[in-house]
Amino acid sequence: MRTTKSDSSPRVPSSRRLTVALSVLATGVAVLSGCSTSSSPGPTTTPPTTTVVTPTSASSTAAPAPTGTGGPEPSIVMPTPQLPTPPVVPPPFSTVPTSPSTPSTPNPSTPQTNPPAGTTFTGEGLTDAQAQTEQQAVDGGHQPWRLDTVMVAKAFVQGRFGWTNVQTSTGAPMVVFVTNQDGSKVTLHLIQPATKGDKGIWEVDSGVWD
């Protein structure tokens, strides 16, 4: 014999159960939405960037900067233009002829500027050894002009001043006056440095301009 159990619990209407289920579902969706918002941030909106293009000079665009991986960028040295060197122009040749070299011996015909009157000058300045050599030469028959005061005076002014055409006079045995053709005058004082007397040689010891 089948026994039938009767459900003593109160029955909930179907519409009410549907409402409770929707409420529970809504609560779960709200909880999940709150967790997702707090854990992962939302997408970040980046404002658009504006690129400003500035005009560059010709020199900067002519040599772009090289791109490399690491290290400082090498500097670019622009070559300096070299200016052409002007040619060297030699100086023009002089049309003025050069004067001939002055001879060592003065020209007696050329007027010379003489020192003032009273200016003294030295004579031959023979040493004792030279005077003895000259005396021995005269004793041996050589250089007989050394025994004449006028000849010694003429030889002296020719060698010292270049006078070749002169006039002489003697005022004392040891003084000779010499006048050049241009009018220049000197007085010479002579001595006998070795042998005295007629056999002794003469030497110009000093002189003075007249």
Side-chain angles (χ1 to χ4, degrees), residues 89-94:
V89 180
F93 291 100
S94 176

Side-chain angles (χ1 to χ4, degrees), residues 20-184:
V20 172
L22 291 176
S23 177
V24 171
L25 182 59
T27 303
V29 170
V31 172
L32 292 177
S33 177
C35 293
S36 175
T37 302
S38 60
S39 60
S40 60
T44 303
T45 302
T46 303
T49 59
T50 302
T51 302
V52 179
V53 180
T54 58
T56 58
S57 61
S59 60
S60 62
T61 57
T67 58
T69 57
E73 297 182 356
S75 60
I76 300 175
V77 179
M78 301 300 292
T80 303
Q82 298 292 335
L83 298 178
T85 303
V88 178
V89 180
F93 291 100
S94 176
T95 58
V96 180
T98 57
S99 59
S101 58
T102 304
S104 57
T105 302
N107 189 355
S109 62
T110 303
Q112 301 179 8
T113 303
N114 298 325
T119 303
T120 60
F121 51 87
T122 59
E124 297 179 68
L126 296 178
T127 63
D128 292 341
Q130 291 173 339
Q132 291 297 332
T133 301
E134 292 287 334
Q135 184 65 57
Q136 292 175 4
V138 171
D139 294 342
H142 304 287
Q143 301 180 0
W145 58 271
R146 274 289 183 182
L147 299 175
D148 188 344
T149 57
V150 174
M151 296 296 294
V152 171
K154 288 183 177 180
F156 175 81
V157 295
Q158 181 177 359
R160 178 68 63 90
F161 308 121
W163 297 352
T164 58
N165 188 5
V166 296
Q167 295 180 355
T168 61
S169 61
T170 57
M174 296 184 295
V175 176
V176 177
F177 303 100
V178 183
T179 303
N180 190 29
Q181 62 180 0
D182 64 353
S184 302

